[in-house]
Amino acid sequence: MDRTAVRDMEERDLERVAEIEALSFSSPWSIEAFRKELRENSLAVYLVCEIDGELAGYMGMWKVVDEGHVTNVAVDPKFRGMGVGNELLSEMVIRARESNLVSMTLEVRVSNVQAIGLYKKHGFKDVGTRPKYYDNGEDAIIMWKTL
Ligand SMILES: CC(C)(COP(=O)(O)OP(=O)(O)OC[C@H]1O[C@@H](n2cnc3c(N)ncnc32)[C@H](O)[C@@H]1OP(=O)(O)O)[C@@H](O)C(=O)NCCC(=O)NCCS
């Protein structure tokens, strides 16, 4: 693979992050929402992954007491399947351990086989569902990983 690097998200990244967000989700977060997170949410961790200097994807997590709640992860469609999601989640698990979190959790659409595959690869287990969690009526799978 080309050279990848994971680092903390900065405000200069936000236009590109919002672009990838819009390419990835039917109800994308706005650039202002990401900016507010970076400026005001001291419990949030946001990472980006670059491939040869180009921002390819990002991931966010909220530290809620001793749990890490993954808020979002997305990779530019042109860079999917190249290991960017793996790099981001590996680093997020390291950050969670460094913060003494005991577990990580997230929700994912039942139809999202790519994301479910990514999470399972990193040890997340399916622990339940939230019926009709998404705006189109789709159920969410709740996934959990003990650190
Ligand atoms: C989910 C997503 C972040 C994965 O990122 P990615 O960089 O393409 O993933 P990677 O190349 O690092 O692959 C990591 C693992 O994910 C799974 N995966 C990735 N693409 C897959 C596919 N097309 N089919 C099945 N599993 C897949 C595999 O388990 C893979 O591990 P492997 O390479 O050993 O097979 C990306 O598909 C994406 O941005 N999707 C749209 C946004 C989204 O749905 N986010 C999650 C919301 S909960």
PDB file of all heavy atoms in Angstrom, residues 130-144:
ATOM      1  N   ARG A 130     -30.952  -2.037  18.114  1.00  0.00           N
ATOM      2  CA  ARG A 130     -31.884  -0.935  18.400  1.00  0.00           C
ATOM      3  C   ARG A 130     -32.833  -0.885  17.207  1.00  0.00           C
ATOM      4  O   ARG A 130     -32.459  -0.431  16.121  1.00  0.00           O
ATOM      5  CB  ARG A 130     -31.138   0.390  18.520  1.00  0.00           C
ATOM      6  CG  ARG A 130     -30.190   0.478  19.697  1.00  0.00           C
ATOM      7  CD  ARG A 130     -29.723   1.907  19.909  1.00  0.00           C
ATOM      8  NE  ARG A 130     -28.493   1.959  20.668  1.00  0.00           N
ATOM      9  CZ  ARG A 130     -28.410   1.808  21.987  1.00  0.00           C
ATOM     10  NH1 ARG A 130     -29.497   1.588  22.694  1.00  0.00           N
ATOM     11  NH2 ARG A 130     -27.247   1.878  22.605  1.00  0.00           N
ATOM     12  N   PRO A 131     -34.080  -1.363  17.411  1.00  0.00           N
ATOM     13  CA  PRO A 131     -35.028  -1.417  16.297  1.00  0.00           C
ATOM     14  C   PRO A 131     -35.312  -0.020  15.726  1.00  0.00           C
ATOM     15  O   PRO A 131     -35.450   0.949  16.479  1.00  0.00           O
ATOM     16  CB  PRO A 131     -36.286  -2.019  16.926  1.00  0.00           C
ATOM     17  CG  PRO A 131     -35.805  -2.706  18.162  1.00  0.00           C
ATOM     18  CD  PRO A 131     -34.629  -1.923  18.639  1.00  0.00           C
ATOM     19  N   LYS A 132     -35.359   0.067  14.417  1.00  0.00           N
ATOM     20  CA  LYS A 132     -35.719   1.313  13.693  1.00  0.00           C
ATOM     21  C   LYS A 132     -34.899   2.517  14.169  1.00  0.00           C
ATOM     22  O   LYS A 132     -35.409   3.628  14.317  1.00  0.00           O
ATOM     23  CB  LYS A 132     -37.218   1.595  13.843  1.00  0.00           C
ATOM     24  CG  LYS A 132     -38.101   0.490  13.285  1.00  0.00           C
ATOM     25  CD  LYS A 132     -39.558   0.891  13.328  1.00  0.00           C
ATOM     26  CE  LYS A 132     -40.478  -0.067  12.612  1.00  0.00           C
ATOM     27  NZ  LYS A 132     -40.319  -1.476  12.872  1.00  0.00           N
ATOM     28  N   TYR A 133     -33.626   2.318  14.388  1.00  0.00           N
ATOM     29  CA  TYR A 133     -32.741   3.367  14.921  1.00  0.00           C
ATOM     30  C   TYR A 133     -32.488   4.469  13.898  1.00  0.00           C
ATOM     31  O   TYR A 133     -32.321   5.636  14.248  1.00  0.00           O
ATOM     32  CB  TYR A 133     -31.423   2.700  15.323  1.00  0.00           C
ATOM     33  CG  TYR A 133     -30.410   3.583  15.995  1.00  0.00           C
ATOM     34  CD1 TYR A 133     -30.577   3.997  17.313  1.00  0.00           C
ATOM     35  CD2 TYR A 133     -29.250   3.986  15.321  1.00  0.00           C
ATOM     36  CE1 TYR A 133     -29.628   4.787  17.944  1.00  0.00           C
ATOM     37  CE2 TYR A 133     -28.299   4.773  15.953  1.00  0.00           C
ATOM     38  CZ  TYR A 133     -28.495   5.172  17.260  1.00  0.00           C
ATOM     39  OH  TYR A 133     -27.552   5.950  17.875  1.00  0.00           O
ATOM     40  N   TYR A 134     -32.472   4.105  12.617  1.00  0.00           N
ATOM     41  CA  TYR A 134     -32.117   5.078  11.578  1.00  0.00           C
ATOM     42  C   TYR A 134     -33.356   5.677  10.934  1.00  0.00           C
ATOM     43  O   TYR A 134     -34.447   5.109  11.006  1.00  0.00           O
ATOM     44  CB  TYR A 134     -31.206   4.408  10.535  1.00  0.00           C
ATOM     45  CG  TYR A 134     -29.885   3.988  11.145  1.00  0.00           C
ATOM     46  CD1 TYR A 134     -29.642   2.662  11.494  1.00  0.00           C
ATOM     47  CD2 TYR A 134     -28.895   4.926  11.427  1.00  0.00           C
ATOM     48  CE1 TYR A 134     -28.432   2.281  12.080  1.00  0.00           C
ATOM     49  CE2 TYR A 134     -27.688   4.553  12.020  1.00  0.00           C
ATOM     50  CZ  TYR A 134     -27.473   3.236  12.337  1.00  0.00           C
ATOM     51  OH  TYR A 134     -26.296   2.867  12.935  1.00  0.00           O
ATOM     52  N   ASP A 135     -33.165   6.844  10.272  1.00  0.00           N
ATOM     53  CA  ASP A 135     -34.315   7.597   9.765  1.00  0.00           C
ATOM     54  C   ASP A 135     -35.086   6.847   8.677  1.00  0.00           C
ATOM     55  O   ASP A 135     -36.250   7.145   8.447  1.00  0.00           O
ATOM     56  CB  ASP A 135     -33.895   9.007   9.309  1.00  0.00           C
ATOM     57  CG  ASP A 135     -32.672   9.008   8.416  1.00  0.00           C
ATOM     58  OD1 ASP A 135     -32.281   7.913   7.960  1.00  0.00           O
ATOM     59  OD2 ASP A 135     -32.119  10.090   8.173  1.00  0.00           O
ATOM     60  N   ASN A 136     -34.460   5.868   8.034  1.00  0.00           N
ATOM     61  CA  ASN A 136     -35.201   5.077   7.034  1.00  0.00           C
ATOM     62  C   ASN A 136     -35.864   3.844   7.647  1.00  0.00           C
ATOM     63  O   ASN A 136     -36.350   2.979   6.927  1.00  0.00           O
ATOM     64  CB  ASN A 136     -34.272   4.652   5.886  1.00  0.00           C
ATOM     65  CG  ASN A 136     -33.222   3.639   6.328  1.00  0.00           C
ATOM     66  OD1 ASN A 136     -32.997   3.452   7.524  1.00  0.00           O
ATOM     67  ND2 ASN A 136     -32.585   2.998   5.381  1.00  0.00           N
ATOM     68  N   GLY A 137     -35.848   3.769   8.989  1.00  0.00           N
ATOM     69  CA  GLY A 137     -36.499   2.649   9.660  1.00  0.00           C
ATOM     70  C   GLY A 137     -35.605   1.436   9.851  1.00  0.00           C
ATOM     71  O   GLY A 137     -36.041   0.414  10.393  1.00  0.00           O
ATOM     72  N   GLU A 138     -34.348   1.558   9.423  1.00  0.00           N
ATOM     73  CA  GLU A 138     -33.437   0.412   9.532  1.00  0.00           C
ATOM     74  C   GLU A 138     -32.985   0.217  10.991  1.00  0.00           C
ATOM     75  O   GLU A 138     -32.808   1.177  11.746  1.00  0.00           O
ATOM     76  CB  GLU A 138     -32.208   0.663   8.644  1.00  0.00           C
ATOM     77  CG  GLU A 138     -31.311  -0.555   8.528  1.00  0.00           C
ATOM     78  CD  GLU A 138     -30.210  -0.366   7.479  1.00  0.00           C
ATOM     79  OE1 GLU A 138     -30.216   0.650   6.754  1.00  0.00           O
ATOM     80  OE2 GLU A 138     -29.356  -1.255   7.414  1.00  0.00           O
ATOM     81  N   ASP A 139     -32.793  -1.064  11.363  1.00  0.00           N
ATOM     82  CA  ASP A 139     -32.311  -1.376  12.707  1.00  0.00           C
ATOM     83  C   ASP A 139     -30.808  -1.111  12.815  1.00  0.00           C
ATOM     84  O   ASP A 139     -30.074  -1.224  11.826  1.00  0.00           O
ATOM     85  CB  ASP A 139     -32.523  -2.866  13.035  1.00  0.00           C
ATOM     86  CG  ASP A 139     -33.988  -3.242  13.112  1.00  0.00           C
ATOM     87  OD1 ASP A 139     -34.850  -2.344  13.072  1.00  0.00           O
ATOM     88  OD2 ASP A 139     -34.263  -4.452  13.205  1.00  0.00           O
ATOM     89  N   ALA A 140     -30.365  -0.809  14.036  1.00  0.00           N
ATOM     90  CA  ALA A 140     -28.928  -0.730  14.332  1.00  0.00           C
ATOM     91  C   ALA A 140     -28.505  -1.973  15.091  1.00  0.00           C
ATOM     92  O   ALA A 140     -29.245  -2.466  15.947  1.00  0.00           O
ATOM     93  CB  ALA A 140     -28.630   0.501  15.177  1.00  0.00           C
ATOM     94  N   ILE A 141     -27.309  -2.456  14.783  1.00  0.00           N
ATOM     95  CA  ILE A 141     -26.672  -3.466  15.625  1.00  0.00           C
ATOM     96  C   ILE A 141     -25.795  -2.703  16.612  1.00  0.00           C
ATOM     97  O   ILE A 141     -25.064  -1.783  16.226  1.00  0.00           O
ATOM     98  CB  ILE A 141     -25.787  -4.418  14.786  1.00  0.00           C
ATOM     99  CG1 ILE A 141     -26.628  -5.165  13.761  1.00  0.00           C
ATOM    100  CG2 ILE A 141     -25.041  -5.399  15.689  1.00  0.00           C
ATOM    101  CD1 ILE A 141     -25.805  -6.054  12.842  1.00  0.00           C
ATOM    102  N   ILE A 142     -25.887  -3.072  17.889  1.00  0.00           N
ATOM    103  CA  ILE A 142     -25.000  -2.496  18.909  1.00  0.00           C
ATOM    104  C   ILE A 142     -23.788  -3.421  19.008  1.00  0.00           C
ATOM    105  O   ILE A 142     -23.943  -4.637  19.183  1.00  0.00           O
ATOM    106  CB  ILE A 142     -25.695  -2.434  20.282  1.00  0.00           C
ATOM    107  CG1 ILE A 142     -27.018  -1.684  20.182  1.00  0.00           C
ATOM    108  CG2 ILE A 142     -24.778  -1.794  21.321  1.00  0.00           C
ATOM    109  CD1 ILE A 142     -27.923  -1.896  21.398  1.00  0.00           C
ATOM    110  N   MET A 143     -22.608  -2.849  18.867  1.00  0.00           N
ATOM    111  CA  MET A 143     -21.391  -3.672  18.970  1.00  0.00           C
ATOM    112  C   MET A 143     -20.532  -3.168  20.130  1.00  0.00           C
ATOM    113  O   MET A 143     -20.562  -1.985  20.466  1.00  0.00           O
ATOM    114  CB  MET A 143     -20.616  -3.659  17.647  1.00  0.00           C
ATOM    115  CG  MET A 143     -21.443  -4.227  16.505  1.00  0.00           C
ATOM    116  SD  MET A 143     -20.519  -4.489  14.982  1.00  0.00           S
ATOM    117  CE  MET A 143     -19.769  -6.079  15.316  1.00  0.00           C
ATOM    118  N   TRP A 144     -19.789  -4.091  20.717  1.00  0.00           N
ATOM    119  CA  TRP A 144     -19.077  -3.812  21.952  1.00  0.00           C
ATOM    120  C   TRP A 144     -17.721  -4.499  21.920  1.00  0.00           C
ATOM    121  O   TRP A 144     -17.611  -5.635  21.442  1.00  0.00           O
ATOM    122  CB  TRP A 144     -19.915  -4.401  23.106  1.00  0.00           C
ATOM    123  CG  TRP A 144     -19.590  -3.829  24.429  1.00  0.00           C
ATOM    124  CD1 TRP A 144     -18.641  -4.256  25.301  1.00  0.00           C
ATOM    125  CD2 TRP A 144     -20.223  -2.709  25.053  1.00  0.00           C
ATOM    126  NE1 TRP A 144     -18.648  -3.468  26.425  1.00  0.00           N
ATOM    127  CE2 TRP A 144     -19.597  -2.522  26.294  1.00  0.00           C
ATOM    128  CE3 TRP A 144     -21.258  -1.845  24.661  1.00  0.00           C
ATOM    129  CZ2 TRP A 144     -19.966  -1.496  27.165  1.00  0.00           C
ATOM    130  CZ3 TRP A 144     -21.627  -0.836  25.518  1.00  0.00           C
ATOM    131  CH2 TRP A 144     -20.995  -0.666  26.757  1.00  0.00           C
TER     132      TRP A 144
END
